[in-house]
Amino acid sequence: MFHSSAPLLRAAASAAAQERRRLTALPAPLADWFAQRGWQPRRHQLAMLEQGRAGRHALLVATTGAGKTLSGFLPSLAELIETPTQGLHTLYVSPLKALAVDIQRNLVTPLDEMGLDGVIRVETRTGDTPSDRKARQRVKPPQILLTTPESLSLLLSYPDSFTMFEGLRTIVVDEVHAFATGKRGDLLSLCMARLQRISPGLRRVALSATVADADGYRAWLAPDGDIDTVSLVQGEAGADPDIAILLPEGRVPWSGHSGRYAAEQVMAEIETHKTSIIFCNTRSLAELIFQDLWKVNAMSLPIGVHHGSLSLEARRKVEGAMAAGRLRALVATASLDLGVDWGDVDCVIQMGAPKGSSRLLQRIGRSNHRLEESSEAILVPGNRFEYLEARAALDAVEAGELDPDIFRPGTLDVLAQHVMACACAAPFEQAGLLDEIRSALPYSALDDATFERVLGFIRDGGYSLKAYDRFKRLTQDADGLWRVSHPQFVVQHRLNAGIIVEATMLTVRFKNGRSLGKVEEGFAASLTPGDTFFFAGISCEVERIDTEDLVVRASSRPARIPTYGGSRMPLSTSLADRVRGFLDSPGEWARFPDDVREWLEFQRLRSALPRPGQLLVETFPREGRHYMVAYSFEGWNAHQSLGMLITRRMEAQGLKPLGFVANDYAIATYSIEKVTDPASLFSADILEHEFVDWVQQSHLLKRAFREVAVIGGLVERQHPGKRKTGRQVTFSTDLIYDVLRKYEPTHLLLQAAWDDARARMTDVGRLAGLLDRSAETMLHVDLDRVTPLAVPVLTLIGREKVATGSADDALLIEAEALAAEAMRID
């Protein structure tokens, strides 16, 4: 007898549809809130609700303005409305304190409009949160807590963390691309592993607009790296961004990287838009651009400045003014890159090149923060190479190409800090904690021997330091449990834990005590009473310098701009490849301004243009010196390292090097003797010999050791009621470094410092790739004088230590003189 399966299939389909309607049905308060605004939940928002009700982990990749944050919270809000509970239900983790505060503001308002403000409590917990509120939150937490990885780690160091988090249902990681692949991501991954053990039913959610490797992030998010447990939800496509490159009224500059020449044009854009954000790549440049704009602000429009070194009061004041629509423009740094939602912003201006397509997309997403409206952005390239980079970034955005995400094993200094936090909460069993740690993807390959070394380091500091009680933070009982050896180490950990190790800062304040923010100790050391510098948008005159304070008064005198250390934003490999492609594709040049096209054409006539993958090296004499310029396109950090190595090798070859300069695109050396065999300078064995010697003898390894020693808890930054000065911290770490180098060169933290110095501070991975291909692809062109392509990098000579802005006029004169020589056809 034949039985048709059609009725069974229809019944199954009907049941599946009914189940999906149930999973995506909004509770009445949420449905009414959408309806009152004439809105409909977006497809990806309902998909996230469905994943939440099904209890699945989820990664949402959706463009800026698509309602990502609401998508992440929607399952939690629905559950808390349908099944009200007390205690912590959802943890939201953000890379920025400003973002956590902004999310609270944008979440509390809808809850209030739904009549749920008193029912569902939302609070923030960051380093800026008052201590009394922090203490209350541990005893009576809100249903939704907004925090950062560092604050979460500190919460997990308390014994009551087990009761605080035992009912935790969801953790939402916003802007996951901003920290998953770095040390903060290592810490957060370890924290999630601990939370999963405390609350086995915990659901993990991550949100981002710019993810190139979705599967990589799914594995990072998943417990035990099981990618199949994490659903990928793709957001709806938004309107294409409207991006333009601002060209100067004259010619595109030969040199510079800030776009300062365009201050009047930028001010004109501000005047014609409702609210603009002007992004700068450094804090120093943000202060400088603010001053430039203020000088040409003929209409006296309200503009502000925002960066991470300003005081909390100053930052909150500016953020509040932007949220209320009281500012026409805000000059900012990466402190506002991510997720901050000010709906009235209708234009984003990027000063200088963006350095990556993902970063550009994040920044332009601050404009017209709505899915159906184009984000309007303007790029202001600082020089001709930066024009090519800006054009490459626009093409990458149009093609949907994002910068690659590079995942790597977790670092040992972060692991040591996390193990100490676990010990502060409760004694632990070694095998159990190791199993928990291995469930975090960055540490999934951690072997028993390395974990033993980490425990040994925390137990006594290592072989060379075990005679000192101050390093004996852990002890193992007869029953095998590890515990903190003395309560003082618990206090020490909570005072000093953290992943971000900035240069030591001095507080800039007025005599009445009002704080403006912080500047680095190195900059403060260059000042004397009576000196002036721009900070927080005003000219400050130094009255006196104390151990921890820089006391100032307002002044109308001309002033310098504070400098800040740290590595620069690297040029992404994908943009570098696109710029190389432009140089090898004359058919593309018709899109470029006349002077940029002429620059490339003259370079092709005078010398050569490097093909993709090829290393062009030019040598030529000028004014009694011999120059070598290599166009390697590996970014400033890698080029700085390469410059140090090459000049050391030149010294060994008797070429008498005088120095080197570098930008993102090229490196130039100058010497007494002529370089005739550049291939011998760029051989791959330079990383085996000169690199090791240089890193060990330079400040780099000591600087890296200082950071890992602080993160790993070997050296504390502050004691109860007293913070160490930067000189004290540096003295302590340098002393320990010298002891370990001499007596225990295989020490755990020396290994961690080496890993940092190789990967983060020197970009050795990009160097290795360059050197590996240089032997086969190098094109050496020997010339009688400077070439057009060399002009931008050569103008940096003599300017490396000059404060930004003070040498600009001289730089322009030098650039024009070099250009005239380079562009001459004999």
Side-chain angles (χ1 to χ4, degrees):
M1 182 181 292
F2 175 76
H3 295 280
S4 172
S5 62
L8 292 176
L9 292 174
R10 284 196 297 270
S14 176
Q18 187 175 356
E19 175 64 8
R20 188 166 195 281
R21 283 194 296 272
R22 183 188 69 80
L23 291 175
T24 58
L26 291 174
L30 275 169
D32 293 345
W33 182 77
F34 274 99
Q36 287 165 7
R37 280 150 190 75
W39 297 347
Q40 288 288 333
R42 300 192 186 278
R43 177 188 52 76
H44 57 268
Q45 291 175 329
L46 293 178
M48 290 295 286
L49 180 60
E50 182 179 5
Q51 297 299 321
R53 283 179 165 152
R56 285 185 58 82
H57 310 297
L59 168 66
L60 171 62
V61 181
T63 186
T64 300
K68 284 192 307 296
T69 305
L70 181 57
S71 302
F73 281 117
L74 205 55
S76 298
L77 295 177
E79 187 171 329
L80 285 167
I81 290 170
E82 293 167 345
T83 313
T85 59
Q86 295 301 311
L88 186 59
H89 179 283
T90 296
L91 199 59
Y92 166 92
V93 182
S94 138
L96 297 176
K97 292 183 283 189
L99 181 54
V101 172
D102 183 68
I103 295 299
Q104 183 191 28
R105 179 169 53 238
N106 290 329
L107 191 57
V108 167
T109 300
L111 288 175
D112 185 45
E113 292 168 347
M114 290 181 230
L116 298 171
D117 190 24
V119 179
I120 302 176
R121 289 190 299 123
V122 181
E123 295 181 3
T124 60
R125 184 187 181 95
T126 70
D128 296 335
T129 304
S131 56
D132 58 338
R133 189 183 306 163
K134 288 182 178 179
R136 193 262 301 152
Q137 286 172 341
R138 288 176 26 230
V139 177
K140 189 180 179 183
Q143 283 94 338
I144 299 176
L145 184 64
L146 317 176
T147 190
T148 60
E150 292 79 6
S151 291
L152 173 57
S153 177
L154 282 173
L155 272 174
L156 287 168
S157 75
Y158 287 91
D160 55 17
S161 60
F162 299 98
T163 55
M164 179 178 182
F165 292 113
E166 65 182 356
L168 185 66
R169 299 293 301 275
T170 302
I171 181 169
V172 179
V173 182
D174 202 359
E175 307 291 0
V176 64
H177 64 276
F179 46 25
T181 59
K183 287 192 177 187
R184 300 181 78 201
D186 295 343
L187 182 67
L188 180 54
S189 187
L190 290 166
C191 288
M192 288 195 295
R194 167 126 293 212
L195 289 171
Q196 202 78 46
R197 291 298 169 97
I198 297 173
S199 179
L202 175 67
R203 194 174 69 88
R204 305 183 184 188
V205 174
L207 316 172
S208 178
T210 51
V211 163
D213 180 10
D215 285 348
Y217 283 96
R218 289 170 66 202
W220 179 87
L221 184 64
D224 297 305
D226 185 358
I227 189 173
D228 292 332
T229 65
V230 180
S231 299
L232 175 62
V233 178
Q234 294 279 6
E236 300 173 30
D240 291 334
D242 176 11
I243 313 174
I245 299 177
L246 186 148
L247 296 176
E249 293 166 352
R251 297 167 65 84
V252 178
W254 284 94
S255 59
H257 65 276
S258 64
R260 291 184 62 204
Y261 64 85
E264 290 190 2
Q265 291 170 275
V266 170
M267 198 67 223
E269 294 292 341
I270 293 171
E271 292 170 359
T272 58
H273 288 87
K274 187 172 183 180
T275 310
S276 303
I277 298 181
I278 297 90
F279 277 112
C280 302
N281 290 340
T282 66
R283 289 169 283 182
S284 299
L285 182 57
E287 291 280 355
L288 197 62
I289 293 297
F290 176 82
Q291 294 298 327
D292 288 346
L293 292 176
W294 194 252
K295 290 173 185 174
V296 296
N297 186 6
M299 298 174 63
S300 298
L301 299 178
I303 61 176
V305 62
H306 188 291
H307 57 74
S309 292
L310 297 181
S311 67
L312 171 63
E313 177 189 1
R315 283 183 279 120
R316 289 288 183 270
K317 183 178 179 181
V318 167
E319 291 162 15
M322 280 292 283
R326 294 195 301 271
L327 290 181
R328 289 291 298 274
L330 180 62
V331 182
T333 62
S335 60
L336 292 181
D337 262 7
L338 305 168
V340 178
D341 182 7
W342 290 317
D344 287 338
V345 174
D346 57 354
C347 184
V348 161
I349 300 173
Q350 166 68 41
M351 304 300 294
K355 303 303 169 192
S357 57
S358 296
R359 181 178 296 113
L360 176 60
L361 274 174
Q362 283 291 337
R363 290 185 167 180
I364 65 178
R366 310 280 68 77
S367 166
N368 287 335
H369 207 81
R370 300 169 186 88
L371 190 63
E372 297 83 3
E373 298 183 19
S374 293
S375 296
E376 183 179 351
I378 299 170
L379 308 186
V380 186
N383 59 55
R384 298 182 182 202
F385 266 124
E386 285 203 349
Y387 173 84
L388 297 179
E389 185 184 332
R391 175 57 60 188
L394 263 65
D395 289 356
V397 168
E398 185 176 335
E401 177 185 292
L402 299 175
D403 302 320
D405 302 311
I406 302 173
F407 291 86
R408 82 288 178 275
T411 63
L412 299 179
D413 51 338
V414 174
L415 178 59
Q417 183 178 126
H418 177 72
V419 170
M420 188 64 190
C422 293
C424 290
F428 63 83
E429 186 262 328
Q430 182 170 333
L433 184 59
L434 177 57
D435 183 56
E436 175 187 311
I437 288 168
R438 284 174 174 162
S439 71
L441 182 69
Y443 298 94
S444 57
L446 181 69
D447 59 69
D448 290 19
T450 302
F451 189 54
E452 285 275 7
R453 291 179 65 205
V454 171
L455 290 174
F457 158 66
I458 310 173
R459 179 189 62 224
D460 55 29
Y463 170 78
S464 301
L465 303 175
K466 62 171 53 180
Y468 303 94
D469 290 342
R470 57 179 288 204
F471 302 119
K472 297 177 179 179
R473 294 177 287 159
L474 281 188
T475 185
Q476 191 172 23
D477 293 344
D479 59 5
L481 290 179
W482 290 88
R483 65 181 70 245
V484 179
S485 59
H486 192 281
Q488 75 184 44
F489 293 118
V490 176
V491 176
Q492 178 178 308
H493 172 81
R494 292 179 186 146
L495 276 175
N496 292 280
I499 300 302
I500 302 172
V501 182
E502 292 187 329
T504 305
M505 313 288 273
L506 267 67
T507 300
V508 180
R509 66 173 180 84
F510 291 125
K511 191 182 296 184
N512 65 6
R514 179 191 162 203
S515 170
L516 294 176
K518 295 177 182 292
V519 294
E520 290 184 2
E521 187 178 52
F523 173 74
S526 70
L527 299 172
T528 57
D531 288 347
T532 55
F533 63 98
F534 281 121
F535 192 70
I538 61 176
S539 177
C540 301
E541 181 179 336
V542 177
E543 292 196 322
R544 69 174 190 274
I545 304 173
D546 297 333
T547 305
E548 298 182 359
D549 295 322
L550 190 58
V551 182
V552 300
R553 64 183 175 193
S555 171
S556 58
R557 293 167 50 203
R560 303 164 58 185
I561 299 292
T563 54
Y564 296 90
S567 59
R568 300 187 189 182
M569 291 181 176
L571 173 68
S572 71
T573 54
S574 55
L575 284 197
D577 288 344
R578 283 184 174 271
V579 172
R580 285 192 188 101
F582 286 156
L583 299 183
D584 191 48
S585 305
E588 295 270 6
W589 299 355
R591 297 195 290 155
F592 304 162
D594 291 344
D595 45 349
V596 174
R597 185 170 59 253
E598 179 188 48
W599 171 54
L600 298 180
E601 289 170 347
F602 270 67
Q603 173 67 23
R604 187 170 54 172
L605 284 171
R606 290 275 333 280
S607 173
L609 286 164
R611 305 187 63 132
Q614 186 179 59
L615 177 63
L616 171 65
V617 178
E618 296 177 332
T619 51
F620 49 83
R622 188 171 192 269
E623 296 180 351
R625 297 176 176 179
H626 290 279
Y627 291 83
M628 177 182 72
V629 183
Y631 303 95
S632 38
F633 297 91
E634 297 297 345
W636 187 85
N637 293 334
H639 290 165
Q640 286 292 310
S641 304
L642 186 60
M644 295 298 297
L645 298 176
I646 286 177
T647 50
R648 287 168 69 94
R649 185 163 280 193
M650 290 173 67
E651 187 71 43
Q653 292 184 7
L655 298 175
K656 301 176 184 176
L658 299 172
F660 76 93
V661 287
N663 56 21
D664 276 320
Y665 320 100
I667 175 174
T669 66
Y670 43 105
S671 56
I672 299 296
E673 303 296 333
K674 180 179 179 178
V675 175
T676 57
D677 182 18
S680 67
L681 299 175
F682 286 84
S683 58
D685 63 355
I686 201 169
L687 292 182
E688 299 174 16
H689 306 300
E690 284 92 336
F691 181 81
V692 174
D693 292 341
W694 166 56
V695 172
Q696 288 182 339
Q697 294 173 22
S698 74
H699 71 285
L700 270 180
L701 197 56
K702 280 193 174 183
R703 175 180 159 196
F705 182 81
R706 174 180 176 270
E707 293 191 11
V708 300
V710 169
I711 291 172
L714 187 68
V715 174
E716 61 277 2
R717 285 174 282 194
Q718 55 186 335
H719 299 288
K722 184 181 179 182
R723 184 175 183 88
K724 278 188 176 181
T725 66
R727 290 186 183 89
Q728 289 171 325
V729 172
T730 301
F731 178 78
S732 299
T733 55
D734 285 358
L735 190 63
I736 295 171
Y737 171 83
D738 292 336
V739 169
L740 295 181
R741 277 282 311 279
K742 185 174 182 180
Y743 297 107
E744 195 178 353
T746 60
H747 190 276
L748 181 87
L749 288 193
L750 283 181
Q751 177 186 330
W754 254 109
D755 291 343
D756 259 19
R758 288 174 63 85
R760 185 168 55 88
M761 296 180 179
T762 63
D763 242 343
V764 72
R766 293 181 74 165
L767 276 184
L770 165 67
L771 296 172
D772 283 345
R773 67 176 183 269
S774 67
E776 297 179 0
T777 69
M778 180 181 290
L779 172 63
H780 176 207
V781 182
D782 189 37
L783 301 128
D784 62 349
R785 66 178 188 275
V786 62
T787 65
L789 214 59
V791 172
V793 69
L794 290 191
T795 58
L796 299 174
I797 293 175
R799 187 173 178 261
E800 303 94 311
K801 300 297 183 183
V802 179
T804 304
S806 62
D808 278 7
D809 290 341
L811 185 67
L812 288 173
I813 294 170
E814 173 68 7
E816 290 302 324
L818 274 170
E821 183 179 340
M823 300 288 280
R824 190 178 77 243
I825 299 293
D826 293 336

